[in-house]
Amino acid sequence: MAAAGFSWADPAVAAAREQYGAARTPLGPLVLRYAQSAELLRDPRLTTSYRYSLERAGITSGPAYDFLTASLLCKIGRERRRLHRQALRASTQHVITELRPLIRATAQHLAGQLAITGEACDFMTVFADPLLKAVTCRLFGVPAQDVDRLHHLFRNDDAGLLFMHDRAQIPRIQGFLTELTDCTESLISHHRAHPGDDPICGLIHTQHDGLLSEEELHSVVHALLLAIWDNPFNQLRLALTAFAQHPEQWRLLQQHPELAAQAVEEVLRWCPPAALIIRHATEEFTYQGLHIPAGSHVFLGVHAAQRDPRAFAHADTFDITAEQSAPLLLFGGGTTACTGTALTRATLTEALTALTSSLGPPQITDHTARQPTTHSTPPLLLRFGWSEI
């Protein structure tokens, strides 16, 4: 099926499959071209594969299995559409627009501190982490006494273990889920006692109206926390890495800050956080002559598809002036679309605007640092040049 864009020839793909637990599942079709990937991302016969991957790894009970099978991530059909709609309402563009002044002010403050020190730093610790801590805690109305607890929960690398399907990590997963459940219950209880206009309160009102059960309320809050905390954080790392490799693009953004939103789209196209998106076939069907059995997996090569020259002009060039000629795929599609999309775009736009207005191009000072994985985000050691503005 090479002519249709299906191939396992790229060695990088095998590494990505191992990273995301896919190497433990039967070999399924790998889709590399944009058009086919876009169609399959929105195909209702394909859904997220977390529960099925756990079962194929021999994990059919226990905390990780119980959590994922009850979560929004593993719902299908009408139930998935209903819960996904509620999650999207809690993270709409309107909600993020109201949060935008805080994102801008925090990013400007942190960039200003970097300009004053002028020293090499771990960008994730001194910029990305405090930015996302401030923004996410304001978005969810996290009470002051729970801020550090929730922040530690999502920065200790255990969240990603949920998706690694490794039986040896069950004790750590149990600890993470216990803490996540406690944090969620505390957050919901706080908002019930102190009603407001934040997304959690909106979901509580929906639950009071009979549109969500108590279990579904917790499931949607879990999904929002997992998506909205991690996605902007990981994408900031990839964005700064891309600009370190293309300093002329950084200088171009310095000279033309009006390109910030367009630069974000190019970052998202050029370096999506996941090389593969894995989907599970809920029924047997045929796609472009390819037989896909029920229960099998389909691997969508998002990184390759977003550099498909059939969909993007100058696909192999990182160019912040390029206007996207096709929608991006990294956030999924349909009822599997990521709920952190709007916040990721807003955070990257404000962060890049603040950083380029105060600092010269970043330089990576330690190229031996590990690459990020689904359960670990290593340091990004940078030194910024002097701003030419």
Side-chain angles (χ1 to χ4, degrees):
M1 294 294 295
F6 301 100
S7 171
W8 285 106
D10 188 347
V13 171
R17 291 182 69 240
E18 178 61 34
Q19 175 181 333
Y20 293 98
R24 301 179 186 89
T25 68
L27 191 66
L30 171 65
V31 185
L32 297 177
R33 291 185 180 175
Y34 178 89
Q36 289 92 343
S37 295
E39 285 184 355
L40 290 170
L41 273 174
R42 290 165 175 77
D43 195 309
R45 297 167 294 188
L46 297 175
T47 188
T48 48
S49 64
Y50 302 118
R51 187 184 77 187
Y52 308 100
S53 296
L54 283 171
E55 291 173 349
R56 290 188 183 279
I59 302 173
T60 57
S61 62
Y65 185 82
D66 293 342
F67 174 86
L68 284 175
T69 52
S71 77
L72 169 60
L73 298 172
C74 288
K75 302 300 182 184
I76 61 175
R78 182 176 300 176
E79 186 179 18
R80 171 73 180 231
R81 290 191 293 273
R82 179 174 60 84
L83 296 180
H84 187 258
R85 190 180 306 116
Q86 297 300 331
L88 287 177
R89 285 177 180 172
S91 56
T92 60
Q93 188 63 55
H94 172 71
V95 172
I96 304 306
T97 297
E98 292 188 344
L99 194 63
R100 199 85 179 228
L102 173 69
I103 303 174
R104 181 178 301 122
T106 306
Q108 289 173 344
H109 171 71
L110 294 170
Q113 288 184 321
L114 284 172
I116 291 171
T117 61
E119 299 176 351
C121 66
D122 172 16
F123 177 79
M124 307 310 294
T125 298
V126 302
F127 187 92
D129 202 26
L131 175 61
L132 267 298
K133 178 180 178 180
V135 170
T136 309
C137 288
R138 173 70 68 85
L139 174 64
F140 289 116
V142 180
Q145 66 269 21
D146 288 341
V147 167
D148 289 339
R149 181 187 183 191
L150 191 65
H151 173 253
H152 174 73
L153 179 67
F154 283 95
R155 289 278 64 84
N156 68 1
D157 290 343
D158 286 353
L161 295 174
L162 272 174
F163 311 105
M164 295 302 293
H165 323 317
D166 186 349
R167 296 178 65 89
Q169 300 296 341
I170 290 295
R172 286 179 63 185
I173 294 173
Q174 172 73 66
F176 168 77
L177 292 177
T178 298
E179 188 69 9
L180 176 61
T181 300
D182 289 347
C183 282
T184 302
E185 290 177 352
S186 175
L187 192 58
I188 292 174
S189 295
H190 171 79
H191 286 292
R192 281 181 169 147
H194 304 88
D197 59 358
D198 59 84
I200 302 297
C201 287
L203 290 169
I204 291 172
H205 291 319
T206 300
Q207 194 253 347
H208 285 166
D209 292 339
L211 300 177
L212 288 174
S213 68
E214 185 70 17
E215 180 184 5
E216 290 170 342
L217 171 64
H218 284 72
S219 175
V220 173
V221 173
H222 288 155
L224 285 170
L225 287 172
L226 288 168
I228 288 179
W229 196 294
D230 266 355
N231 285 341
F233 183 84
N234 292 325
Q235 195 66 64
L236 273 169
R237 185 186 198 282
L238 294 166
L240 269 290
T241 301
F243 277 106
Q245 296 166 346
H246 301 87
E248 76 287 352
Q249 296 295 304
W250 184 276
R251 297 188 186 96
L252 182 59
L253 185 54
Q254 281 184 316
Q255 296 163 7
H256 298 280
E258 69 276 7
L259 289 174
Q262 197 165 313
V264 168
E265 295 307 300
E266 180 67 352
V267 164
L268 296 174
R269 182 192 72 84
W270 183 257
C271 47
L276 292 174
I277 291 179
I278 306 172
R279 291 291 181 258
H280 176 86
T282 59
E283 61 183 82
E284 180 180 8
F285 67 100
T286 299
Y287 177 75
Q288 293 193 3
L290 180 72
H291 176 240
I292 300 178
S296 65
H297 286 83
V298 176
F299 302 89
L300 306 175
V302 175
H303 187 277
Q306 291 191 169
R307 298 194 189 187
D308 187 344
R310 302 166 189 83
F312 301 96
H314 310 293
D316 288 329
T317 301
F318 180 66
D319 180 6
I320 66 169
T321 68
E323 294 187 6
Q324 304 300 346
S325 53
L328 299 177
L329 304 178
L330 76 161
F331 293 117
T335 60
T336 60
C338 177
T339 54
T341 301
L343 181 62
T344 299
R345 284 191 163 102
T347 302
L348 261 66
T349 300
E350 297 299 341
L352 291 177
T353 300
L355 289 165
T356 54
S357 68
S358 302
L359 299 157
Q363 298 175 333
I364 298 176
T365 59
D366 184 359
H367 292 273
T368 64
R370 294 179 295 111
Q371 292 299 306
T373 70
T374 52
H375 65 286
S376 175
T377 302
L380 177 58
L381 304 179
L382 296 177
R383 183 188 300 277
F384 288 90
W386 294 105
S387 175
E388 298 178 1
I389 296 178

